[in-house]
């Protein structure tokens, strides 16, 4: 009896194992270096080149949420551990708060690197599995639901986001989960499912605001469609609360917890002097029309070639199928937003709806191409429903297997899931562990200083926040997606800090020595680490001479490129 139950459970969950296997294949080299490597490429060199990977942000996020909540017992929505001495609000930062809370016990068990990589695997597996679960309710053929999960979860854009470590944007499983919960609301008309839906939306916001925005972009029209154009067939289901009432219940379950966090913190942060993204800047991050059939090498601007082709092949057969028309219209709306603020037709510039969205979001959202993510969801639904109609006309089941299996293989090649996944092995320095054993309160000054936001960068070495979870003391460097202008201006225009961020030349010797002495005192600097691999030879000498002249500092050793 127990063996039968185990086998039955394994059969019911086989789709989860399928997406787990695909995830392991797609993330190949990261999986084989699970506990030692980070996703993407990091260039450690004396250059002002912007780093192609940003895993350091989300690696730090996971640690900071756990450290703030369970060690310091403070709100994780504020920090002075980066861009010290300022206290920066993190409600507008890509904090991925939920992942930090959920991963806290795993960080203690497996370590931060392994936990980070397991989250990437889990995000892909969840996205595919939940997409399968949603589509399976709307198609007759199990294989098509498997195909839809593959199409949605493993696009070139998602693999690109994995390769730069964006845990927030990988968490697209919220989209099918939200619609799945709404299906339960419509079927049952129970207030408990409405509350679950609202709480789910709130948790998606704690993961990333974009996930909530994308989910609502799909959920709002889907609600209207299911309540008006395609109501539940069983009248007995209408015995519970009305459609309007369950919507209000879900809305309340979403807004009430959000009014405690993160909404008030976000409103407070938005009163700061954040630099706006100009409308013309957002055009740089628009999804090019030609990329629907000729995607470039940048996966963030690609949905592959096969999905647009299958969409075109589906169009002549939609006819009067309202459900397929619905998903086509939703997809068109999403991709119009992804096209950015305008299109130029000859000498005429035509404004697109994203220009309005940009203003509504306070001129802070600058990446319209990401609206392609809910667009892919809608296209996957359209293609699945079209193929479901086709398979219903094919009487021999072996044709089903050939068609669906063949399409899966084509998507594997179209999405290039077989290619080696890029990874970085970060240098491991003992000095950071030595600093961690010093329990005094002090700041660590790493030279050069680098402060970066999603809109500006001052200096080099912002990725050195990767080492903060090891040494666990504040640093002036760091990468936060949103910082007020006053902070970046401070590190640029201050005579000493401007020199330490390589923005200006060092002041005269007597002046700079006095300024550094005051900085060591005011910031309570306990250690200074000179990264010679981030500086040109001349700067290595000038910075070294500056530190050697300080009576408050004593060189304690060298480790590789570090002094």
């Amino acid at each position: 009896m127990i063996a039968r139950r185990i086998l039955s459970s394994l059969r019911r969950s086989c789709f989860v194992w399928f997406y787990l296997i695909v995830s392991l294949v797609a993330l190949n080299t990261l999986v084989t270096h699970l506990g030692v490597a980070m996703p993407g490429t990091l260039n450690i060199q004396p250059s002002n080149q912007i780093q192609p990977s940003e895993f350091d942000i989300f690696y730090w996020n996971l640690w900071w949420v756990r450290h703030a909540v369970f060690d310091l017992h403070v709100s994780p929505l504020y920090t002075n551990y980066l861009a010290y001495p300022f206290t920066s609000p993190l409600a507008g930062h890509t904090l991925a708060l939920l992942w930090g809370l959920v991963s806290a016990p795993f960080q203690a068990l497996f370590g931060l690197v392994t936990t980070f990589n397991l989250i990437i695997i889990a995000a892909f597996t969840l996205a595919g599995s939940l997409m399968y679960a949603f589509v399976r309710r709307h198609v007759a053929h199990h294989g098509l639901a498997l195909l839809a999960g593959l199409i949605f979860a493993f696009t070139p854009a998602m693999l690109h986001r994995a390769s730069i470590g964006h845990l927030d944007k990988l968490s697209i499983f919220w989209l099918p989960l939200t619609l799945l919960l709404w299906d339960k609301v419509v079927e049952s008309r129970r207030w408990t499912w409405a509350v679950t839906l609202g709480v789910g939306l709130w948790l998606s916001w704690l993961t990333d605001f974009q996930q909530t925005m994308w989910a609502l972009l799909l959920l709002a029209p889907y609600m209207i469609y299911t309540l008006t154009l395609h109501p539940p067939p069983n009248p007995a289901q209408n015995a519970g609360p009305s459609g309007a009432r369950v919507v209000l219940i879900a809305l309340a379950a979403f807004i009430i917890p959000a009014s405690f966090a993160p909404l008030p913190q976000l409103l407070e942060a938005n009163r700061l002097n954040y630099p706006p993204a100009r409308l013309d800047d957002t055009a740089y991050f628009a999804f090019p029309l030609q990329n629907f059939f000729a995607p470039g090498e940048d996966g963030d601007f690609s949905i592959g070639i096969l999905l647009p082709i299958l969409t075109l092949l589906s169009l002549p057969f939609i006819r009067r199928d309202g459900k397929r028309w619905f998903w086509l219209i939703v997809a068109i709306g999403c991709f119009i937003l992804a096209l950015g603020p305008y299109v130029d037709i000859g000498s005429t510039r035509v404004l697109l709806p994203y220009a309005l969205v940009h203003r509504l979001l306070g001129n802070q959202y600058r990446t319209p191409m990401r609206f392609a993510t809910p667009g892919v969801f809608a296209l996957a639904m359209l293609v699945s429903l079209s193929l479901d109609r086709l398979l219903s006309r094919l009487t021999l089941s072996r044709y089903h297997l050939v068609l669906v299996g063949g399409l899966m293989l084509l998507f594997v090649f179209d999405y290039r899931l077989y290619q080696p996944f890029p990874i970085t092995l970060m240098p491991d320095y003992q000095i950071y562990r030595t600093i961690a054993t010093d329990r005094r309160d002090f700041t660590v000054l790493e030279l050069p200083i680098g402060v970066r936001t999603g809109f500006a960068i001052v200096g080099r070495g912002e990725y050195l926040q990767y080492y903060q979870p090891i040494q666990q003391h504040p640093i002036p460097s760091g990468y936060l997606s949103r910082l007020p202008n006053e902070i970046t201006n401070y590190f640029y225009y201050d005579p000493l800090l401007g020199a330490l961020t390589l923005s200006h030349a060092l002041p005269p010797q007597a002046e700079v020595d006095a300024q550094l002495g005051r900085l060591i005192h005011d910031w309570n600097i306990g250690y200074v680490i000179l990264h010679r691999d981030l500086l040109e030879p001349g700067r290595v000498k000038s910075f070294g001479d500056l530190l050697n002249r300080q009576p408050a500092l004593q060189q304690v050793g060298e480790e590789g490129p570090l002094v």
Side-chain angles (χ1 to χ4, degrees):
M1 183 67 71
I2 295 176
R4 287 182 180 178
R5 290 179 179 176
I6 293 174
L7 289 174
S8 177
S9 298
L10 289 174
R11 281 195 295 269
R12 286 196 298 269
S13 62
C14 64
F15 65 94
V16 178
W17 294 104
F18 171 77
Y19 294 115
L20 176 59
I21 292 170
V22 176
S23 301
L24 298 179
V25 170
L27 301 171
N28 44 71
T29 51
L30 187 68
V31 173
T32 57
H33 297 80
L34 192 67
V36 294
M38 299 302 294
T41 303
L42 188 76
N43 301 316
I44 303 175
Q45 59 188 10
S47 168
N48 292 328
Q49 176 187 355
I50 295 177
Q51 295 292 348
S53 188
E54 298 177 346
F55 60 78
D56 50 293
I57 306 177
F58 297 92
Y59 181 83
W60 180 88
N61 287 345
L62 295 181
W63 167 79
W64 169 248
V65 172
R66 183 197 62 76
H67 186 59
V69 173
F70 298 104
D71 298 336
L72 302 179
H73 308 293
V74 299
S75 171
L77 294 174
Y78 302 89
T79 189
N80 68 344
Y81 269 58
L82 298 180
Y84 185 89
F86 297 94
T87 295
S88 303
L90 300 180
H93 167 61
T94 51
L95 184 61
L97 176 61
L98 186 65
W99 278 126
L101 295 172
V102 170
S103 70
F106 300 98
Q107 293 181 42
L109 285 173
F110 304 120
L112 192 51
V113 173
T114 301
T115 300
F116 186 96
N117 293 330
L118 287 175
I119 288 175
I120 294 178
I121 296 171
F124 278 105
T125 305
L126 284 171
S129 300
L130 289 167
M131 185 65 175
Y132 166 88
F134 176 72
V135 176
R136 188 67 183 92
R137 300 170 61 86
H138 299 272
V139 299
H141 299 88
H142 158 80
L144 292 178
L146 274 181
L147 176 63
L150 178 67
I151 293 173
F152 174 65
F154 297 92
T155 61
M158 299 317 300
L159 286 175
H160 173 78
R161 291 162 195 172
S163 73
I164 57 178
H166 281 187
L167 299 185
D168 59 334
K169 298 168 196 67
L170 279 179
S171 305
I172 58 172
F173 56 83
W174 287 112
L175 278 63
L177 178 58
T178 300
L179 299 193
L180 198 60
L181 290 173
W182 174 250
D183 276 353
K184 298 297 291 184
V185 171
V186 172
E187 289 176 2
S188 67
R189 293 296 175 93
R190 292 181 180 176
W191 66 268
T192 50
W193 280 113
V195 169
T196 304
L197 171 61
V199 172
L201 285 170
W202 173 60
L203 293 176
S204 73
W205 193 354
L206 294 184
T207 307
D208 185 60
F209 170 73
Q210 290 177 101
Q211 300 298 337
T212 312
M213 180 171 63
W214 296 337
L216 290 174
L217 189 62
L218 295 174
L219 180 62
Y222 189 62
M223 281 180 167
I224 296 172
Y225 175 75
T226 51
L227 290 177
T228 59
L229 301 177
H230 192 68
N234 186 356
Q237 292 176 333
N238 295 325
S242 66
R245 192 167 297 176
V246 293
V247 171
L248 290 175
I249 292 172
L251 193 61
F254 169 46
I255 293 175
I256 291 174
S259 64
F260 292 94
L263 182 58
Q265 295 84 357
L266 182 60
L267 294 175
E268 177 188 6
N270 284 341
R271 290 196 290 268
L272 300 175
N273 186 22
Y274 286 137
R278 297 183 306 115
L279 199 63
D280 287 341
D281 292 337
T282 68
Y284 178 78
F285 296 98
F287 196 97
L289 272 172
Q290 66 269 20
N291 279 26
F292 284 105
F293 296 101
E297 291 300 316
D298 190 342
D300 216 8
F301 295 84
S302 171
I303 61 170
I305 299 175
L306 189 55
L307 182 58
I309 291 174
L310 290 176
T311 300
L312 287 180
L313 292 176
S314 300
L315 295 183
F317 304 100
I318 294 180
R319 297 177 183 174
R320 296 183 180 181
D321 189 334
K323 188 177 289 188
R324 284 188 281 174
W325 274 113
F326 169 77
W327 288 114
L328 176 62
I329 293 169
V330 170
I332 291 173
C334 292
F335 281 109
I336 288 176
L337 288 173
L339 292 176
Y342 52 75
V343 292
D344 292 325
I345 303 176
S347 59
T348 304
R349 175 162 290 181
V350 180
L351 286 179
L352 296 177
Y354 178 79
L356 175 61
V357 173
H358 184 64
R359 288 195 292 273
L360 291 175
L361 295 177
N363 300 322
Q364 290 294 311
Y365 192 76
R366 62 188 179 94
T367 49
M369 83 287 192
R370 292 174 183 162
F371 281 102
T373 298
V376 168
F377 181 101
L379 290 185
M381 282 297 301
L382 169 63
V383 168
S384 299
L385 292 169
S386 298
L387 290 172
D388 194 49
R389 181 67 62 89
L390 173 63
L391 292 185
S392 298
R393 296 174 179 175
L394 297 177
T395 56
L396 295 178
S397 59
R398 65 172 176 269
Y399 292 148
H400 299 184
L401 180 62
V402 170
L403 179 61
V404 176
L407 285 174
M408 285 184 178
L409 286 176
L410 287 175
F411 271 104
V412 167
F413 282 97
D414 184 35
Y415 288 174
R416 302 179 183 178
L417 302 185
Y418 54 86
Q419 289 188 342
F421 188 81
I423 60 172
T424 290
L425 298 173
M426 289 294 288
D428 185 17
Y429 299 117
Q430 178 59 39
I431 182 58
Y432 290 112
R433 292 182 177 80
T434 301
I435 294 173
T437 61
D438 191 335
R439 297 302 181 183
R440 295 174 298 160
D441 290 329
F442 57 82
T443 304
V444 175
L445 176 60
E446 307 214 52
L447 299 178
I449 296 174
V451 178
R452 183 180 173 186
T453 73
F455 296 85
I457 182 169
V458 181
R460 296 176 194 163
E462 72 282 354
Y463 71 85
L464 295 175
Q465 68 188 55
Y466 170 87
Y467 294 106
Q468 192 174 67
I470 302 174
Q471 53 93 349
Q472 302 196 5
H473 291 275
I475 59 174
S477 294
Y479 185 176
L480 296 174
S481 58
R482 297 291 183 274
L483 283 175
N485 282 326
E486 291 80 0
I487 295 180
T488 51
N489 289 344
Y490 174 71
F491 284 99
Y492 182 86
Y493 288 109
D494 181 87
L496 174 61
L497 296 176
L500 299 183
T501 58
L502 313 181
S503 304
H504 311 291
L506 286 169
Q509 180 172 321
E511 183 180 336
V512 73
D513 288 351
Q515 290 173 349
L516 182 56
R518 287 194 297 271
L519 190 75
I520 291 172
H521 176 269
D522 294 344
W523 285 10
N524 190 27
I525 294 174
Y527 290 84
V528 180
I529 301 176
L530 180 63
H531 291 260
R532 294 177 292 190
D533 51 351
L534 296 180
L535 295 168
E536 295 82 0
R539 282 172 163 159
V540 171
K541 184 180 186 308
S542 59
F543 276 43
D545 292 343
L546 171 63
L547 299 177
N548 289 332
R549 292 195 302 266
Q550 281 297 317
L553 299 178
Q554 178 182 359
Q555 183 172 331
V556 295
E558 298 184 19
E559 185 179 1
L562 307 187
V563 178

